[in-house]
Amino acid sequence: MDLQEYLARMNSGEPVQGGGDMHRFMREINEVTMRLTCELNNKYHTSEEVREIFSKIIGKPVDKSFRLFPPFYTNCGKNTTVGKGVFINTGCHFQDQGGITLGDGTFLGNNVVLTTMNHDFDPEHRSTTYPAPIVTGKNVWIGSSVTIVPGVTIGDGAIVGAGSVVTKDVPPYTIVAGVPARVIRKFDPKTDHLPSTHKKTHGDK
């Protein structure tokens, strides 16, 4: 089995039997990826070096506009795709065997968890896993400590409030929050803005 065959199978959504050839190949990828993440996380790197190591982790080049603040964690990496202007803050965890795609301009806060694999409910087959992708559109903002579960798509411009658990698709230009996350409201990106916290000083008129 080679990487392309593995990824095609994972992207098909078919279950992965514990102990099978797919499972063994997955473990081989894990070992390579853990070495790269250790290299990324355990000493200082310039932004260019971070992009270079991250490109090795995901197996494809990233745009020079991509930014990541280590530490970053993943146990596969090879099924992640990031667009231009993507920013990943510190402490994020990607379980990307089922596929993670971050659209242009997606921002991830601290400690975001993206998980694309579920285990079988039957305890006797618990090592069997079911992959499903996570996809974000353009200019999505995911707040700190958010968890997104397998199979979720987040529409363009959407905002996910800090600490949320996202279990279903998020429409474009909506704010969602909570456990599980629910739609708080829709917004117009051209007219709606965060409330100002600016306080008047003696020099203000």
Side-chain angles (χ1 to χ4, degrees):
M1 177 176 293
D2 62 19
L3 180 61
Q4 294 308 312
E5 183 182 354
Y6 169 78
L7 292 177
R9 172 69 184 278
M10 298 303 290
N11 291 334
S12 74
E14 296 180 16
V16 178
Q17 301 295 330
D21 289 342
M22 286 284 292
H23 198 247
R24 284 190 290 271
F25 191 80
M26 185 187 300
R27 288 178 178 270
E28 293 174 11
I29 295 175
N30 294 162
E31 294 297 323
V32 173
T33 302
M34 284 190 291
R35 287 195 291 271
L36 289 169
T37 53
C38 282
E39 179 184 350
L40 174 67
N41 294 334
N42 289 331
K43 65 178 182 179
Y44 170 76
H45 297 282
T46 66
S47 295
E48 183 177 348
E49 291 169 339
V50 168
R51 287 195 297 272
E52 181 179 351
I53 298 170
F54 187 82
S55 294
K56 291 178 181 177
I57 290 172
I58 69 171
K60 57 184 77 75
V62 295
D63 190 77
K64 63 181 180 180
S65 60
F66 171 80
R67 295 292 305 278
L68 181 149
F69 290 170
F72 169 80
Y73 305 96
T74 181
N75 60 358
C76 176
K78 296 301 186 288
N79 211 6
T80 291
T81 301
V82 299
K84 295 180 180 180
V86 168
F87 171 64
I88 300 173
N89 215 324
T90 57
C92 290
H93 295 245
F94 286 15
Q95 185 198 38
D96 71 315
Q97 286 90 340
I100 291 173
T101 302
L102 302 180
D104 294 349
T106 293
F107 285 9
L108 271 60
N110 301 303
N111 304 314
V112 168
V113 176
L114 306 182
T115 177
T116 64
M117 298 282 280
N118 274 319
H119 289 272
D120 200 292
F121 284 5
D122 184 347
E124 294 185 4
H125 301 282
R126 190 60 50 83
S127 61
T128 294
T129 52
Y130 299 83
I134 291 171
V135 178
T136 73
K138 295 181 179 181
N139 302 313
V140 169
W141 175 18
I142 299 172
S144 295
S145 300
V146 166
T147 296
I148 301 177
V149 305
V152 167
T153 295
I154 299 181
D156 290 350
I159 299 171
V160 181
S164 299
V165 177
V166 185
T167 61
K168 59 183 180 180
D169 291 352
V170 176
Y173 302 107
T174 57
I175 301 171
V176 301
V179 181
R182 292 181 170 84
V183 173
I184 304 302
R185 67 180 178 94
K186 296 184 70 68
F187 68 94
D188 183 335
K190 294 184 178 180
T191 59
D192 290 345
H193 304 281
L194 286 173
S196 174
T197 57
H198 174 70
K199 294 182 179 180
K200 286 190 174 183
T201 66
H202 292 296
D204 289 330
K205 304 232 180 194

